Amino acid sequence: MTRKFLHVENFGANIPYYLLPFRFHRINETKEVIVNEVDDFLVVPVGTAAQIIERKINRREDATLYGDLLANFFISEQPIPELIDVLATRYRTKKSFLDHFTSLHIFVISLRCEHTCHYCQVSRVTADKDKFDMGREHINAGIEMMMRSPNPHVTMEFQGGEALLAFDNIVYAVERTKQEAVLRNKKVNYVICTNLAPLTEEILAYCKENAILISTSLDGPEFIHNKNRHKPHSNSYQLAVDGVMKCRQELGEENVSALLTTTNLSLQHPEEIVDEYVNRGFRNIFLRPISPYGFATKNAGKNKYQTTAFLEFYKKALNTIISYNLNGYYIREDYASIILKKMLTPFPVGYVDLQSPAGIINSVIVFNYDGKIYASDEARMLAEMNDFTFLLGDLSVNTYEEIFYGEKSMELAEVFTNESLPGCSDCAFQSYCGADPVFNYTTQGDTWGHRPTSSFCQRNMEIMRHLIELMDSDKKIEKVFRSWITGKTDAIKN
């Protein structure tokens, strides 16, 4: 009763080609997409993936398909491809966002705010409570920890509340960081997230002098923005658009950006929202759903909606954006652009929600106003709901090593790589997507998450499927999409 090895013929000696790792997904009734390990994809007739796996693709009879599969690393004529080093280089390039570790350092400079947005993701306090400003000792400790990052190019982002209400602390932080950056040989970008209501000429002058970027919010036309982003006794919309205009004049159009948050009211007006961004001269718009944190969870009537409703809104808005491009006005949708860069280029993206390993800790860290350190901005928002699952430590107590290589970080490392998550590991869109343990925990109760019932998974899979289907159905749309990642708008007209 001894076990003998089978003959060598049973192990592929006579097979026509060898399979390299790839995944597949049906995109409609007649087409499916196959995606390899380095994000190359091919749209093929339904059933092709099965034929490839069963080795029924014939080099002579299916010459074009065979050549595409061979050239794009879906199959190989040797057990180890001749160009395996090229494949390895491309894979390393896709993961190169890990090379220098944490880049984005968020300083919650104050919780004070003079707006009363119903979807606010933090527990804001009124504008007169300066005890909720970040203390100088915590600013100093945060800068010191930021300078410990091995990344030679870091971003210092000031958030709130309303960050401009503590502008004196922003000035202090920037001036100290400038000195430290010279000593540590680091390049620092500065960003202020603001509703622009407290903007003054002095603030603008300082931002211009120090090349500080401005990120603001614009939720659409006046009737939507003022409903979503209420400011007592004021017109929040007018303050925002006037502020954008002033910032563009002083800082340059490319140094001012706006973000949209989609509420139930927003879902009813996709075309009007896109029109507003175009009418205000924006060249980009970020269609993002509401996040399940903070006050947003307490006002379900205004903020809670099904993922299917958001996807319907997204597709209508995207169609409007594409139409503007085809008619000569360049404007890109940022979320699609991030995904398309992963699909159509060999380069990584810096968007933390679509990274694997996840962007938390690896790409972003948050220093709260009280000195507490969190794995991401969403982790900080969760803490404002009295859940400290993703609290990493304290600026007053913990060292850099304890924060970035401590027990909590090691726990998160087990769940922030989608290549090893159930339901992600065999998904066709895995390499385009990311891992988000904070979102999983918030919406599903554990950091691993459950893909079949995950709104993160449902949203991303459908958007990715839709983008591929659009490119396959119309080459003009593919040219529009390529212009979003290259900036070469002339290609659309040809």
Side-chain angles (χ1 to χ4, degrees), residues 62-130:
D62 309 297
T64 300
L65 175 60
Y66 187 94
D68 288 341
L69 294 172
L70 194 64
N72 290 284
F73 297 105
F74 289 95
I75 62 173
S76 171
E77 293 181 333
Q78 292 83 32
I80 298 177
E82 291 182 355
L83 298 178
I84 185 94
D85 290 340
V86 173
L87 189 64
T89 299
R90 291 185 58 192
Y91 191 84
R92 281 198 304 273
T93 301
K94 286 289 185 179
K95 299 295 185 181
S96 62
F97 65 90
L98 294 169
D99 287 352
H100 300 297
F101 207 39
T102 317
S103 56
L104 175 59
H105 297 75
I106 296 175
F107 287 69
V108 182
I109 207 71
S110 176
L111 276 193
R112 291 186 288 149
C113 190
E114 21 63 81
H115 275 56
T116 57
C117 309
H118 61 73
Y119 58 60
C120 184
Q121 296 163 349
V122 295
S123 298
R124 62 180 179 266
V125 295
T126 54
D128 59 341
K129 296 184 178 180
D130 57 3

Side-chain angles (χ1 to χ4, degrees), residues 107-236:
F107 287 69
V108 182
I109 207 71
S110 176
L111 276 193
R112 291 186 288 149
C113 190
E114 21 63 81
H115 275 56
T116 57
C117 309
H118 61 73
Y119 58 60
C120 184
Q121 296 163 349
V122 295
S123 298
R124 62 180 179 266
V125 295
T126 54
D128 59 341
K129 296 184 178 180
D130 57 3
K131 68 179 181 179
F132 291 95
D133 290 357
M134 195 176 202
R136 298 287 171 94
E137 70 280 5
H138 288 144
I139 293 175
N140 294 342
I143 293 171
E144 172 64 23
M145 194 164 286
M146 177 174 67
M147 291 297 160
R148 288 286 308 278
S149 172
N151 200 317
H153 195 153
V154 297
T155 296
M156 187 181 202
E157 182 174 297
F158 300 102
Q159 289 192 14
E162 171 45 53
L164 293 185
L165 293 178
F167 189 69
D168 57 334
N169 275 348
I170 292 178
V171 172
Y172 173 83
V174 170
E175 293 303 318
R176 186 178 181 91
T177 300
K178 284 161 58 178
Q179 297 174 6
E180 292 294 326
V182 172
L183 296 175
R184 313 289 185 97
N185 194 29
K186 285 192 185 292
K187 170 71 175 176
V188 184
N189 286 338
Y190 302 98
V191 181
I192 298 177
C193 299
T194 170
N195 59 43
L196 294 177
L199 188 68
T200 65
E201 296 300 325
E202 291 74 19
I203 290 174
L204 270 176
Y206 186 81
C207 290
K208 182 176 182 179
E209 179 184 348
N210 291 279
I212 299 175
L213 308 179
I214 297 295
S215 176
T216 191
S217 295
L218 181 63
D219 280 2
E222 185 171 2
F223 74 94
I224 296 178
H225 188 93
N226 282 342
K227 281 283 188 181
N228 287 353
R229 303 185 58 80
H230 179 65
K231 178 175 170 58
H233 315 298
S234 296
N235 186 325
S236 174

Side-chain angles (χ1 to χ4, degrees), residues 409-429:
S409 295
M410 295 302 102
E411 287 178 16
L412 293 176
E414 294 182 3
V415 293
F416 66 27
T417 303
N418 69 6
E419 286 89 342
S420 60
L421 290 177
C424 289
S425 60
D426 55 0
C427 176
F429 304 129

Side-chain angles (χ1 to χ4, degrees), residues 357-398:
I360 60 171
I361 304 174
N362 294 302
S363 294
V364 62
I365 200 79
V366 177
F367 306 130
N368 205 17
Y369 76 99
D370 58 359
K372 297 293 189 294
I373 305 171
Y374 295 99
S376 69
D377 201 25
E378 291 75 18
R380 187 260 300 199
M381 297 169 189
L382 193 63
E384 295 295 343
M385 301 165 67
N386 295 315
D387 189 325
F388 301 95
T389 300
F390 299 94
L391 173 65
L392 301 178
D394 194 302
L395 284 168
S396 302
V397 177
N398 299 108

